């Protein structure tokens, strides 16, 4: 547990650093005994998983922290074998069904059913239900989500589901209505700063306030990233100075450069270059929606105020299509081309206006 | 295309170059024709022809010096030989040859009288009577005519044909009767042994049964010598006369029949009528393609060069198949190269064109069996160019009997083998096809690989016996080579590049069919339509040719179809509106892309535009036509995925005027649309939407088509991206797989690649002083410790690797550095080689420590239990010890052996004393001196070193060593 992220992760609800009321509510939820299905959602790095683990500890005690990895193999009706890794304690089981790709429905049907059907043996000393933790539910196919609906209702006696995802928009409404939705928002900059300085204090380091703030801002309030950045800063240079440069993730740099390339020139040739860069990003496993989001933020900061609403609308349009289609590169490039066309027209009009 | 043009541009040149060669070829071309003719005639009337031929052959071969008088005699001999046969019937099979032979001269006339009835054996007495009557009368008026030249054959002819006219059933029996009557002929041979011609005749039947190369040579020699024209003349004369006679006889018989037997006539006439009807029906029902297919070499429509090459190749087999042409061919290559080599060298300085290479193949020396170097010819080309027809015509032309295997036959391996063997090693015995076989394997691109391998094995088969005695003389060899392939094989395929054909391609004489010239094709079409009474001008026919891509079969079929519908007039409009003649063209992907990105040439406009339509309308019409064209192209291709991928990869590099980038945007919108469609089709199984897919190419055509020739690259970007994504994913999955569960539950693949990995790599590159780690300060040591901890937690390590330049470097394992790094960004800071080495080593050590600790942890419970049970008197140091797997066994042994365990202890105890243990050994030693066996046993059991007596090699001495002691 050497990374700060892992080392100083709170393990109980009481020790959580921010969103304390929510932590209290969760605690009450556990104590009142009527524990519902949960749908925990929020942006990446907000502490969803930490909160869930704290909750589980609250439910079952320290036993949940004894984890083991299990390799499960499931045979689909089509005789296809699906291998999937699960992380389990005696009390819960964590699965990421989207690892199975298109056959995630089978995982849901087979794996979760078998777990849910088995009763807890010592129900007197323990809770009468197990918890199944499904991560990245928003990446589940619609089939798998529909398969989940009935399972959720049928096995309530023996099993509770905690679903974890980034956005509820891709979770079908029947599932949303069956769960208690818990939103875990990003911590504010101050909260991030507090966490950073407290961690540094525990490490015996002195973190200047400005640097902490810079890190918090640069990480986009993503606490995981902020901690990693802070530690990277520490590796690069200790004693900290307030204006030292903070290491960034490479793909963000690359994306920014791509946006600059789009703004600086608009031609089919440039589009071809941009295409190569988009491919590069995609091959590095950067999800297309993150690419489009990153591009839009960069482009918006570069273009005129008149254009902003139009560009934002375009981005929304193409991101929607992106979700519907299967070939991300077409949609990304279509967005870029459209932006180029608009931007070029705007610049030429502006130039004409300037001439006369 | 350029290649083709180049290739066929030099055709004229070619003709000049090889003028002499062509002459030889022309000779060759001419040479076999009489042969085939003869055989055709023979087919019609086997008996008399064989006689005639036999006679003439006999004449030239054996009785050259003999005068005409003698020849006359010969004729008579023959007749007499035949006549006794007939008389046998009369005289109830009591041949007296010698006697009859003397009567021959007298009988010449006489025999004619008897002939008819003799040859045709009476199937029933009535018929016999009738025939006899008729015959005598028929032959009477003819006799003056036929006598002077060669009376016998003609008369024989009459008899044969007259019989045929009257009752076909009896004819068959006739032929059989005469040919296969062994006692008569056999008898005769023995008598006339001295005469060469007789010997030959009698042997003929046997020859038919057993293929003997000599027979071929004989016949060939006879044909090949100067006597050929004479024979041809003779034949022609005989034929003409025979025809006259037949006609006359027919007339006469009819007259007679009308008088004698009206019933028979009534029976006969409908038969004849039926025959005619059959012919008519055949004419209407038979496909024109078959009816007008070329029967002769000169009628072939396919490219001359190809035809010639194939014929030449086939002629190379003559040496081994017919055993002739050895002499004329031997000097020929010597003469020709002298003229040709000079030319060749001139051109060889630049390049070798395809045709030259082909020529060279044909020039190549024959192999040891006198076969050509390439045993198989492989014709390839799109359907409808006349490949099969060419193979047939040329094989027939060169004097072969064609045996065909095609896709409709069973081509499983065993059957294929059988058929190849039958075709190449056997020969038809019965009937008239005594010519050698030529195997044509049609549609070989559909054959299974096993079958093709068998074909290859057949080609490469060698005579094992010959291999053994390589020094043996050639004459002997000839008889032995039974199993070697001695017949030509022609394979035909559409797609030369089928994987199964790959091995065959290297061993075959490849001939690619160029497209038929539209001018020649349209000329032939004009001929056909004229014959069928259709009116069609050349332009229309050219349009038809263009529409079908010069597919001969499609053209003729279309014509027939139109004819069948009653159209006697063919004009442009019918042709252009026809959809029947269109094949489902399967064009290559590149040509599809090219057509999409290129505006159609003006030539097409000429056909499309009618003069009376206005310019605007013409433009509209042209647009519509282009749309239709592209739609058809795209939908017939079928590979939408690939096509649209190609469009996507290439459209940005097209030349286009697009200042506002609107065309690019709409193109991309189209792509997005088709992606959504595809998604809908694939995931919703909504296949009715597939019909909209071809509109994407059409849209691209109108957006980006230009006049210049587009440069198109094969679209591999998608595939490349896919493989690279897979690669990065695999690296990350490998990394995640071994991460301990406590960390693993916090890290998912996406957080890893988005948030963590980049920074993590930053983290594991601290600044380390390049000194020995022993000299590190406590803080630095702590840092190193943390680093290694992180590395292990995230399943990272360094692995030594060797670069292609020979340098050793340490790379991360799993190599997530690739996952993070982007091309074009400044390279990240790297640790030095030494630092990496250090980290790698430390990581490894730490791993070992951890695993051992884990093991120990698992084992502690057991040791404690054991210790509680027995070890009370032992010193405290021993407690550290964990269980020894040997302990229990040793215990037993020690209990049994009460004595003499001391010396081994002493010996080894002194030899290898572990540092911590001296106290133990000494104490145990003392105790053993004092105490009993039990104590010794305990001591042994708890000692660090033990020994099993008599257990062989050096590892009989054992000691527990822990990793942690070594670290």
């Amino acid at each position: 547990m050497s990374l700060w992220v892992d080392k100083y992760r709170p393990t109980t609800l009481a020790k959580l650093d921010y969103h304390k009321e929510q932590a209290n509510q969760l605690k009450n939820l556990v104590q009142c005994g009527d524990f519902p299905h949960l749908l925990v959602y929020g942006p990446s790095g907000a502490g969803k998983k930490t909160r869930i683990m704290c909750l589980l500890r609250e439910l079952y005690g320290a036993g949940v922290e004894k984890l083991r990895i299990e390799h499960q193999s499931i045979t689909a009706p089509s005789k296809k074998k699906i291998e999937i890794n699960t992380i389990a304690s005696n009390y819960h089981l964590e699965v990421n069904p989207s690892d199975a790709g298109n056959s995630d429905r089978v995982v849901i049907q087979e794996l979760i059913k078998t777990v849910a059907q088995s009763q807890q043996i010592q129900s007197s000393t323990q809770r009468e239900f197990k918890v199944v933790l499904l991560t990245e539910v928003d990446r589940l196919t619609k089939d798998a989500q529909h398969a989940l609906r009935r399972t959720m209702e049928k096995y309530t006696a023996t099993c509770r589901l905690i679903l974890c995802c980034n956005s509820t928009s891709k979770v079908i409404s029947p599932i949303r209505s069956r769960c208690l939705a818990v939103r875990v928002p990003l911590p504010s900059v101050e909260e991030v700063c507090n966490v950073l300085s407290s961690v540094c204090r525990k490490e015996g380091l002195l973190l200047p306030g400005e640097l902490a703030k810079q890190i918090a801002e640069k990480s986009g309030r993503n606490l995981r990233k902020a901690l990693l950045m802070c530690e990277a800063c520490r590796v690069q240079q200790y004693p900290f100075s307030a204006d030292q440069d903070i290491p960034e993730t490479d793909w963000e740099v690359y994306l920014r450069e791509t946006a600059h390339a789009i703004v600086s020139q608009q031609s089919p040739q440039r589009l071809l270059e941009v295409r190569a860069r988009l491919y590069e990003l995609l091959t590095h496993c950067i999800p297309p929606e993150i690419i489009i989001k990153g591009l839009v933020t960069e482009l918006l900061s570069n273009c005129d105020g008149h254009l902003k609403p139009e560009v934002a609308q375009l981005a929304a349009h193409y991101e929607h299509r992106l979700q519907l289609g299967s070939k991300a590169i077409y949609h990304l490039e279509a967005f870029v081309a459209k932006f180029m066309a608009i931007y070029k027209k705007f610049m030429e009009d502006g130039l004409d206006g300037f001439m006369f | 295309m350029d290649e083709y043009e180049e290739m066929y541009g030099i055709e004229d040149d070619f003709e000049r170059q090889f003028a002499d060669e062509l002459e030889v070829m022309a000779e060759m071309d001419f040479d076999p024709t009489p042969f085939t003719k003869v055989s055709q005639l023979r087919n019609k009337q086997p008996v008399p022809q064989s006689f005639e031929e036999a006679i003439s052959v006999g004449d030239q071969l054996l009785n050259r010096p003999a005068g005409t008088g003698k020849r006359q005699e010969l004729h008579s001999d023959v007749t007499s030989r035949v006549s006794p046969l007939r008389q046998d019937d009369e005289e109830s099979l009591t041949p007296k040859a010698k006697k009859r032979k003397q009567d021959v001269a007298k009988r010449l006339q006489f025999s004619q009288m008897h002939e008819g009835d003799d040859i045709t054996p009476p199937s029933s007495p009535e018929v016999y009577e009738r025939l006899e009557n008729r015959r005598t009368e028929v032959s009477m008026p003819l006799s003056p005519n036929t006598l002077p030249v060669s009376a016998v054959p003609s008369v024989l002819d009459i008899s044969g044909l007259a019989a045929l006219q009257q009752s076909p059933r009896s004819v068959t029996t006739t032929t059989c009767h005469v040919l296969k009557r062994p006692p008569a002929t056999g008898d005769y041979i023995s008598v006339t042994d001295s005469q060469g011609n007789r010997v030959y005749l009698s042997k003929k039947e046997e020859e038919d049964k057993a293929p003997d190369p000599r027979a071929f040579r004989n016949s060939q020699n006879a044909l090949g010598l100067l006597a050929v024209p004479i024979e041809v003349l003779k034949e022609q004369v005989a034929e003409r006369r025979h025809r006259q006679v037949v006609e006359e006889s027919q007339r006469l018989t009819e007259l007679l029949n009308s008088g004698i037997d009206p019933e028979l006539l009534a029976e006969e006439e409908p038969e004849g009528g039926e025959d005619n009807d059959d012919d008519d029906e055949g004419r209407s029902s038979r496909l024109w393609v078959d009816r007008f297919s070329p029967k002769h070499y000169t009628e072939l429509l396919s490219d001359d060069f190809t035809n010639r090459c194939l014929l030449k190749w086939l002629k190379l087999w003559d040496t081994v198949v017919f055993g002739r042409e050895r002499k004329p061919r031997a000097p020929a290559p010597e003469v020709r190269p002298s003229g040709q080599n000079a030319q060749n060298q001139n051109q060889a300085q630049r390049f070798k064109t395809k045709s030259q290479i082909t020529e060279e193949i044909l020039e190549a020396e024959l192999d040891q069996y006198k076969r050509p170097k390439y045993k198989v010819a492989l014709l390839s080309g799109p359907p409808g160019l006349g490949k099969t027809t060419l193979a047939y015509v040329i094989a027939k032309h060169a004097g072969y009997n064609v045996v065909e295997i095609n896709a409709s036959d069973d081509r499983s391996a065993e059957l294929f083998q059988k058929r190849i063997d039958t075709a190449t090693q056997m020969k038809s015995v019965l009937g008239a096809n005594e010519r050698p076989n030529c195997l044509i394997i049609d549609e070989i691109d559909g054959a299974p690989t096993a079958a093709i391998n068998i074909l290859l094995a057949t080609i490469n088969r060698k005579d094992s016996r010959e291999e053994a005695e390589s020094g043996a003389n050639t004459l002997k060899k000839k008889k032995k080579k039974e199993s070697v392939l001695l017949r030509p094989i022609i394979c035909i395929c559409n797609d030369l590049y089928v994987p199964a054909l790959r091995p065959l391609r290297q061993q075959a004489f490849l001939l690619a069919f160029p497209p038929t010239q539209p001018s020649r094709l349209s000329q032939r079409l004009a001929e056909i339509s004229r014959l069928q009474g259709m009116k069609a001008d050349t332009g229309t026919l050219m349009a038809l040719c263009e529409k079908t891509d010069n597919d001969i079969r499609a053209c003729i079929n279309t014509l027939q179809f139109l004819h069948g519908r009653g159209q006697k007039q063919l004009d442009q409009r019918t042709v252009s509106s026809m959809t029947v003649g269109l094949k489902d063209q399967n064009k290559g992907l590149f040509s599809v892309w090219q057509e999409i990105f290129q505006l159609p040439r003006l030539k097409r406009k000429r056909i499309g535009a009618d003069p009376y339509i206005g310019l605007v309308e013409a433009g509209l019409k042209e647009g519509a036509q282009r749309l239709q064209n592209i739609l058809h192209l795209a939908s017939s291709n079928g590979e939408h995925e690939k096509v649209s991928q190609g469009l996507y990869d290439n459209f940005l590099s097209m030349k286009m005027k697009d200042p506002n980038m609107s065309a690019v945007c709409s193109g991309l919108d189209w792509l997005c649309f088709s992606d959504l469609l595809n998604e809908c089709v694939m995931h919703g199984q909504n296949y009715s939407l597939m019909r909209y897919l071809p509109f994407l190419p059409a849209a691209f055509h109108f957006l980006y088509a230009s006049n210049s020739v587009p440069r198109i690259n094969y679209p591999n970007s998608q595939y490349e991206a896919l493989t690279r994504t897979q690669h990065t994913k695999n690296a990350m999955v490998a990394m995640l797989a071994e991460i301990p569960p406590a960390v693993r539950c916090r890290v998912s693949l996406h957080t890893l690649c988005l948030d963590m990995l980049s920074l993590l790599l930053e983290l594991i590159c601290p600044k380390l002083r390049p000194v020995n780690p022993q000299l590190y300060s406590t803080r630095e040591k702590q840092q190193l410790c943390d680093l290694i901890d992180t590395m292990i937690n995230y399943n990272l390590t360094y692995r030594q690797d060797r670069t292609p330049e020979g340098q050793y470097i340490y790379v991360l394992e799993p190599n997530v550095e690739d996952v993070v790094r982007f091309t074009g960004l400044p390279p990240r800071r790297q640790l030095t080689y030494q630092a990496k080495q250090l980290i790698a080593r430390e990581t490894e050590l730490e791993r070992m420590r951890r695993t051992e600790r884990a093991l120990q942890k698992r084992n502690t419970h057991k040791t404690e239990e054991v210790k509680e049970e027995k070890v009370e008197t032992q010193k405290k140091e021993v407690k550290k010890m964990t269980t020894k797997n040997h302990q229990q066994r040793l215990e037993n042994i020690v209990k049994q052996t009460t004595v003499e365990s001391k010396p081994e202890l002493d010996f080894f105890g002194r030899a290898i004393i572990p540092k911590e243990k001296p106290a133990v050994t000494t104490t145990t030693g003392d105790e053993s001196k004092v105490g009993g066996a039990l104590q010794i046993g305990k001591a042994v059991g708890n000692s660090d070193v033990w020994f099993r007596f008599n257990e062989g090699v050096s590892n009989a001495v054992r000691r527990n060593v822990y990793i942690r002691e070594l670290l």
Side-chain angles (χ1 to χ4, degrees), chain B residues 231 256 323 371 380 424 427 436 510-511 550 581 710 728 896 937:
Chain B
E231 210 178 341
L256 279 172
R371 303 178 296 178
S380 62
T424 54
K427 189 173 154 331
L510 300 178
L511 267 181
N550 298 327
T728 40
Q896 286 161 9

Side-chain angles (χ1 to χ4, degrees), chain B residues 574-761:
Chain B
T574 4
V575 169
S576 57
S577 65
M578 276 281 297
T579 50
V580 188
L582 279 182
K583 295 182 289 183
D584 204 10
Q585 301 147 311
N586 201 358
K587 288 196 173 172
L589 280 168
F590 273 96
S591 59
V592 170
W593 290 322
Q594 187 140 3
E595 213 152 310
I596 289 168
F597 281 125
Q598 198 173 10
L599 285 170
R601 263 173 269 148
L602 284 170
K603 192 187 84 184
R604 198 155 283 172
K605 230 185 241 169
R606 177 179 58 85
I607 294 162
D610 282 340
Y612 50 80
I613 296 174
L615 264 176
V616 185
E617 227 173 313
L620 269 177
K621 198 185 172 197
E622 202 213 348
Q625 203 177 357
R626 269 165 62 195
L627 178 72
Q628 286 300 331
N629 189 26
I630 298 290
L631 280 183
H632 176 73
L633 193 73
S635 51
S636 67
N637 182 279
E639 287 182 89
H640 290 295
E641 196 74 359
K642 208 85 208 160
V643 168
S644 54
Q645 193 57 46
L647 294 177
Y648 171 67
D649 271 22
N650 286 300
F651 82 96
L652 281 180
S653 35
M654 291 302 124
K655 287 190 188 103
M656 50 186 164
K657 279 182 211 142
D658 191 19
N660 300 325
M661 297 198 52
S662 56
V664 174
C665 284
S666 55
L668 280 165
D669 276 346
W670 268 101
L671 276 171
C672 292
F673 169 65
S674 84
D675 177 40
L676 294 186
L677 266 185
N678 246 328
E679 182 76 10
C680 220
V681 169
M682 294 305 166
H683 285 239
Q685 279 83 38
N686 200 349
Y687 294 107
S688 62
L689 290 177
M690 273 182 97
R691 77 182 105 153
Y692 298 110
L693 288 175
F695 284 92
L696 172 74
F700 267 67
H701 176 69
F702 283 101
L703 282 170
Y704 307 115
S706 66
N707 279 316
S708 56
V709 181
R711 270 205 8 236
I712 287 164
N713 298 316
Y714 190 80
N716 43 16
S717 62
Q718 190 85 41
Y719 176 73
E720 234 170 66
L722 197 71
T723 47
R724 273 164 61 202
T725 316
Q726 210 57 47
H727 181 242
T728 40
K729 248 190 198 148
N730 286 344
M732 285 198 286
V733 167
M735 183 180 163
L736 280 176
E738 298 286 315
I739 290 181
V743 181
R744 174 73 182 81
C745 83
R746 314 298 170 118
V747 181
S748 75
L749 197 116
H750 283 98
T751 54
L752 192 69
C753 77
L754 282 178
D755 295 345
M756 299 190 71
L757 216 44
S758 184
L759 295 166
L760 188 65
L761 290 190

